[in-house]
Amino acid sequence: MQPEEELKQIAKEVSVCTRCALHHSRKLAVPGEGPVNAQVMFIGEGPGFHENEQGRPFVGAAGKFLDELLASVNMKRSDVFIGNVVKCRPPGNRDPLPEELEACREYLERQIQAINPKVIVTLGRYSMAHFLPNAKISSVHGQAFKVRGRLVVAMYHPAAALHQQSLRSTVEQDFARLPELIQQASQAMQLEEEKPAEPRKEPKQLSLF
Ligand code: SF4
């Protein structure tokens, strides 16, 4: 299946998915949105009230802040793919449960395969844990890791910065590093492509760039 068709197929599947209890609180599933050839993929936690109403990611106050952060590094929402680790709204915006994260995991993995981004930016603890299960966000935010052959940058969720003013400048500083990290990822990928093929090795679980 072509990547674009695969993204549409995933959106179709999540709109009627009953794999976990979150489908009970769903008005509209939020599969995520953005161009299939996006170089950067932002992954948040789960839809909130407005996202559940509109079926679109990051459309509330946190989304507005995310737009500002993107603009601060000369990026636009239409340049990037934005999604979440769970596609349906946890009731009352509670944290997603382990079984809900596990049930939804395959959709996110398929989206990553289809988009094949150079850089994945995780927004918040649950998204970070998908790639860096043993990391603490207070220690690793703003840093880049190579995980399963991709560059993963961990950041605080924009909503956390809205609720806790002291985090705002941290999030802004972490975002300011993104262009440089994307550039590094592009160069690393070019080098990989130019290297002669080697026998397949087990990937390193986690290595700091
Ligand atoms: S959160 Fe994910 S796994 Fe659960 S019902 Fe929604 S789409 Fe399905």
Side-chain angles (χ1 to χ4, degrees):
M1 198 182 287
Q2 290 296 310
E4 198 155 7
E5 283 170 35
E6 170 71 344
L7 286 187
K8 283 185 190 158
Q9 176 63 27
I10 296 165
K12 204 168 146 191
E13 288 175 34
V14 302
S15 70
V16 292
C17 177
T18 55
R19 279 189 200 173
C20 82
L22 292 184
H23 78 277
H24 293 300
S25 47
R26 172 178 74 214
K27 183 168 180 184
L28 290 174
V30 183
E33 62 187 31
V36 72
N37 59 352
Q39 294 192 353
V40 186
M41 193 168 174
F42 287 86
I43 304 175
E45 298 193 347
F49 174 82
H50 296 287
E51 290 77 15
N52 184 47
E53 293 292 312
Q54 298 181 36
R56 298 186 57 217
F58 283 86
V59 289
K64 194 163 172 283
F65 184 38
L66 180 60
D67 287 342
E68 286 171 25
L69 290 165
L70 286 169
S72 73
V73 290
N74 294 319
M75 290 169 85
K76 295 191 297 293
R77 191 179 265 254
S78 55
D79 299 332
V80 299
F81 190 92
I82 303 178
N84 285 305
V85 281
V86 291
K87 317 297 188 197
C88 304
R89 184 189 182 205
N93 290 350
R94 66 157 168 75
D95 291 338
L97 300 173
E99 60 268 29
E100 294 159 354
L101 291 161
E102 192 49 42
C104 217
R105 190 177 183 90
E106 188 220 334
Y107 294 126
L108 179 59
E109 285 300 325
R110 283 168 60 195
Q111 288 176 318
I112 294 169
Q113 290 299 320
I115 295 163
N116 195 21
K118 284 185 178 141
V119 177
I120 291 175
V121 181
T122 64
L123 301 171
R125 278 181 300 140
Y126 292 95
S127 171
M128 178 195 69
H130 185 96
F131 302 94
L132 306 167
N134 300 316
K136 264 188 153 181
I137 197 156
S138 55
S139 309
V140 303
H141 69 88
Q143 296 178 38
F145 296 85
K146 198 171 180 189
V147 182
R148 300 191 286 275
R150 289 179 204 284
L151 190 75
V152 173
V153 183
M155 295 207 190
Y156 283 103
H157 196 285
L162 291 179
H163 294 132
Q164 208 179 320
Q165 274 300 313
S166 58
L167 279 184
R168 196 180 171 104
S169 62
T170 305
V171 172
E172 287 168 348
Q173 283 164 22
D174 289 348
F175 244 83
R177 292 197 61 219
L178 256 190
E180 179 199 330
L181 294 171
I182 294 167
Q183 173 94 0
Q184 279 177 15
S186 301
Q187 285 168 353
M189 278 184 178
Q190 259 171 10
L191 286 176
E192 288 277 314
E193 281 164 14
E194 285 162 15
K195 260 196 338 197
E198 281 181 20
R200 192 181 158 81
K201 288 186 202 143
E202 280 305 305
K204 254 191 180 175
Q205 175 69 20
L206 177 83
S207 66
L208 190 59
F209 257 54

